[in-house]
């Protein structure tokens, strides 16, 4: 990579981070002024503890109670003496987003509409794996999205704000509360809610600071302790930030490709106009740690008559040739007002067979929770306000 290119992407990164900060959430403080301890990193927690005159070993204790035991009440912290429990409760809370609506699908998928302190809302979905006794929690990173992918329900909602680290970790913790999944396991005993996919509402790489902080908290071994292999971050292709994810988090990467030609991808995923397919794939090729054990996942939504031909499949395998990758074929999930049709079974199977024959796994993602609008791309929290103008105006 040339020096000039490195400088350019560094400048781009700085610009993206500065712009993202404009959408940061309000401080994580309860209505009565008490600070929420969830979402603080260890250094910030240490500063809070120091500010009330307590020694630093309390940080380890609190971390254990909050993220390993999952308690929300200081009175349950049995290794901490009563008077200090009271003092902690005078200054702090251990918060959770409030579940405004909970729906469970006929296939056991569960969706929460979480409400945060300022009244903003986002959705979280738990998708149990029918073949195993565990499943994935699909977490949102923003309320709305600045991007307007044409097939995505969230993309019709304007970006209201980023979710804070407390709110991102909080979605997972509240989901675990609902299934009685505390304490976090030590060693290899898994919990039902053992995987996180950052595939809910929003573009996680346009909220990198909060997402990264939240993921570092869930990966901390003395707390929730999820391995980076159990976390998948999905991006529509914010190229400069993909390098940062690789260097700092090392989680699994999923890339929403959806088209193999720039003219079509420009239309389906408008961010492509800024970061075209060649740049996106170059970033995938440099993603660290991609080995056969840690393949990049290309997400490819199947839209009837749009991107699902045999020629598209052949071009796809040409583009990703030589990369440790798999292709997740996602049947289009309709939502109220959507214009596309899902690809039929024969064309889906034909596409998968071509990708498979080239040596790439190409599972067809079974839609989950469609009856409660919980499937990929169906999430949207605000049906009355904050809509973007009709697409025709945008394009
Ligand atoms: N903003 C990120 C992560 C959230 S979207 C991204 O775009 O990758 C998670 C996945 O759902 C993406 O692959 C997205 O393209 C896909 N998706 C969006 N709308 C969909 C729909 N209507 N049907 C099926 N998948 C959809
Ligand atoms: Fe945003 Fe992802 Fe939906 Fe595109 S697919 S509008 S990036 S949430």
């Amino acid at each position: 990579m040339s020096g000039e290119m490195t400088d350019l992407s560094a400048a781009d990164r700085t610009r993206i981070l500065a712009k993202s900060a404009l959408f940061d959430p309000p401080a994580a403080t309860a209505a009565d002024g008490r600070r929420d301890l969830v979402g603080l990193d260890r250094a910030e927690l240490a500063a809070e503890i120091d500010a009330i005159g307590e020694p630093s070993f309390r940080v380890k204790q609190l971390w254990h109670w909050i993220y390993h035991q999952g308690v929300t009440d200081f009175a349950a912290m049995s290794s901490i003496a009563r008077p200090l429990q009271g003092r902690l409760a005078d200054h702090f809370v251990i918060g959770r987003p409030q579940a405004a609506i909970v729906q469970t699908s006929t296939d056991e998928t569960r969706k929460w509409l979480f409400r945060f302190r300022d009244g903003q809302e986002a959705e979280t979905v738990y998708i149990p794996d029918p073949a195993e006794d565990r499943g994935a929690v699909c977490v949102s990173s923003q309320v709305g999205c600045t991007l307007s992918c044409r097939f995505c329900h969230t993309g019709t909602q304007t970006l209201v704000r980023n979710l804070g680290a407390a709110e991102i970790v909080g979605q997972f913790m509240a989901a675990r509360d609902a299934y009685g999944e505390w304490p976090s396991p030590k060693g290899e005993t898994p919990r039902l809610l053992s995987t996180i996919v950052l595939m809910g509402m929003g573009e996680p790489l346009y909220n990198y600071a909060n997402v990264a902080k939240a993921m570092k908290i869930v990966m901390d071994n003395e707390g929730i302790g999820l391995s980076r292999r159990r976390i998948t971050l999905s991006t529509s292709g914010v190229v400069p930030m993909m390098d940062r994810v690789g260097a700092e988090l090392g989680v699994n990467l999923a890339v929403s490709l959806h088209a193999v030609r720039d003219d079509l991808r420009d239309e389906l995923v408008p961010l492509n106009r800024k970061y075209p397919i060649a740049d996106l794939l170059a970033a995938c090729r440099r993603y660290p740690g991609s080995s056969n054990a840690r393949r990049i996942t290309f997400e490819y939504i199947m839209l009837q008559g749009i991107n699902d031909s045999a020629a598209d499949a052949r071009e796809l395998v040409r583009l990703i040739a030589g990369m440790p990758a798999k292709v997740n074929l996602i049947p289009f999930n309709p939502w109220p007002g959507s214009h596309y049709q899902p690809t039929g079974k024969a064309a889906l199977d034909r596409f998968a067979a071509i990708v498979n024959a080239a040596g790439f796994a190409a599972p067809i993602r079974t839609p989950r929770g469609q009856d409660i609008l919980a499937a990929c791309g169906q999430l949207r929290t605000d049906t009355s306000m904050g809509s973007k103008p009709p697409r025709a105006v945008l394009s």
Side-chain angles (χ1 to χ4, degrees):
M1 194 194 306
S2 72
E4 192 192 351
M5 189 177 153
T6 314
D7 290 350
L8 277 180
S9 42
D12 213 8
R13 247 193 315 271
T14 309
R15 188 188 55 77
I16 290 170
L17 289 167
K19 196 167 165 197
S20 168
L22 299 175
F23 289 94
D24 264 348
T29 307
D32 58 12
R34 288 180 298 164
R35 185 78 175 80
D36 194 347
L37 294 184
V38 174
L40 301 180
D41 62 27
R42 279 174 182 264
E44 290 167 335
L45 184 57
E48 294 289 344
I49 297 308
D50 186 58
I52 63 160
E54 282 297 317
S56 57
F57 72 84
R58 298 286 181 204
V59 173
K60 199 176 161 71
Q61 265 181 333
L62 280 166
W63 194 274
H64 174 85
W65 283 112
I66 297 171
Y67 295 114
H68 181 71
Q69 299 289 349
V71 307
T72 51
D73 184 354
F74 293 101
M77 299 183 172
S78 54
S79 62
I80 292 178
R82 275 279 124 110
L84 178 55
Q85 288 178 358
R87 246 160 62 68
L88 289 167
D90 290 341
H91 290 88
F92 307 118
V93 292
I94 302 165
R96 292 286 193 269
Q98 183 201 335
I101 303 178
V102 186
Q103 291 166 282
T104 307
S105 159
T106 49
D107 71 12
E108 301 296 313
T109 297
R110 188 173 294 183
K111 181 170 87 167
W112 291 265
L113 174 69
F114 282 124
R115 186 167 298 151
F116 304 106
R117 288 195 182 88
D118 62 352
Q120 292 300 337
E121 296 170 335
E123 292 184 315
T124 306
V125 182
Y126 171 57
I127 311 136
D129 183 338
E132 290 187 68
D133 54 354
R134 52 165 70 185
V137 183
C138 178
V139 167
S140 291
S141 57
Q142 298 183 306
V143 179
C145 189
T146 45
L147 302 170
S148 304
C149 303
R150 293 182 84 103
F151 44 78
C152 174
H153 204 195
T154 309
T156 63
Q157 186 179 352
T158 39
L159 175 67
V160 179
R161 66 169 176 80
N162 286 329
L163 294 179
E167 295 166 332
I168 297 169
V169 179
Q171 293 171 62
F172 182 72
M173 296 178 84
R176 272 204 168 167
D177 292 347
Y179 285 84
E181 289 248 301
W182 302 104
S184 295
K186 280 264 184 247
E188 278 311 295
T189 334
R191 283 287 179 264
L192 285 176
L193 281 62
S194 57
T195 302
I196 292 182
V197 293
L198 283 154
M199 294 187 183
M201 299 169 59
E203 170 47 60
L205 297 191
Y206 275 156
N207 182 20
Y208 181 74
N210 292 306
V211 165
K213 192 172 172 192
M215 292 307 107
K216 286 177 186 168
I217 291 171
V218 299
M219 289 191 285
D220 188 299
N221 268 330
E222 289 179 14
I224 295 170
L226 279 196
S227 132
R228 64 197 165 83
R229 288 160 205 280
R230 299 220 144 267
I231 299 173
T232 300
L233 183 149
S234 173
T235 181
S236 57
V238 185
V239 165
M241 301 310 297
M242 288 164 62
D243 294 312
R244 179 67 69 87
V245 176
E248 271 184 25
L249 300 177
V251 296
N252 300 318
L253 189 66
V255 172
S256 293
L257 187 60
H258 307 318
V260 291
R261 298 188 325 268
D262 278 323
D263 60 339
L264 181 60
R265 195 163 188 272
D266 280 352
E267 196 187 313
L268 296 179
V269 184
L271 186 63
N272 195 68
R273 296 173 200 163
K274 197 173 250 162
Y275 307 114
I277 294 174
D279 294 3
L280 177 58
L281 293 178
C284 293
R285 287 184 195 277
R286 17 175 227 276
Y287 194 75
S290 30
S291 63
N292 270 326
R294 285 171 47 71
R295 293 169 296 179
I296 289 186
T297 301
F298 288 100
E299 294 163 283
Y300 196 94
I301 189 168
M302 296 295 282
L303 305 171
Q304 185 174 53
I306 306 278
N307 65 351
D308 59 353
S309 70
D312 287 316
R314 285 192 293 270
E315 178 60 8
L316 174 59
V317 298
R318 198 188 65 79
L319 286 175
I320 65 174
M323 228 187 274
K326 75 168 180 186
V327 178
N328 226 325
L329 299 175
I330 313 177
F332 171 66
N333 292 309
W335 35 269
S338 62
H339 297 295
Y340 296 106
Q341 295 302 320
T343 296
K345 182 163 169 22
L348 249 178
D349 289 344
R350 176 185 62 185
F351 198 101
I354 295 170
V355 178
N356 259 315
F360 297 100
I364 297 170
R365 193 183 283 174
T366 315
R368 302 291 302 275
Q370 270 183 325
D371 55 334
I372 55 167
L373 281 187
C376 300
Q378 294 186 314
L379 306 185
R380 190 182 198 273
T381 50
D382 139 38
T383 44
S384 56
M385 326 148 38
S387 285
K388 290 175 183 165
R391 312 272 185 178
V393 178
L394 289 174
S395 55

